[in-house]
Amino acid sequence: MESNQSSGYIVHTWSGRSYRLPIDRDQFSSLLSYVDEMIALHGCDNTLQHAETWARAHKVAWFKLNRSLRSLGGFCDCEIGLNTVADGEEEPEDW
Ligand SMILES: [Zn+2]
């Protein structure tokens, strides 16, 4: 049984679709910043190897995460951040 993974985090793509990830919001932002950092250091080699490394380090089932990332268009590390829209970070109405 998996604990701490009750609901998952819903991400949205630019085309307006939403996908449920098998990780929570904090894990997703951790994944994004890790992948970002690795791409900055090593570049993207058109695989999801950095995401996979992250998943293993965080004991996240890679086959599930891999499938979710691909379904939202993240076929390599740099596409994960490109294809998802950060939630709740719209400019606040300034009144
Ligand atoms: Zn890439």
Side-chain angles (χ1 to χ4, degrees), residues 23 27 30-31 34 50-58 60 65:
I23 53 178
Q27 287 177 308
S30 160
L31 168 64
Y34 175 78
H50 299 316
E52 182 172 4
T53 302
W54 179 92
R56 291 186 195 287
H58 290 78
V60 169
L65 183 59

Side-chain angles (χ1 to χ4, degrees), residues 44-46 76-79:
C44 177
D45 68 352
N46 299 315
C76 67
D77 289 310
C78 67
E79 290 180 338

Side-chain angles (χ1 to χ4, degrees), residues 24-37:
D24 65 26
R25 188 193 180 114
D26 287 347
Q27 287 177 308
F28 185 64
S29 67
S30 160
L31 168 64
L32 278 188
S33 50
Y34 175 78
V35 165
D36 238 39
E37 202 173 307

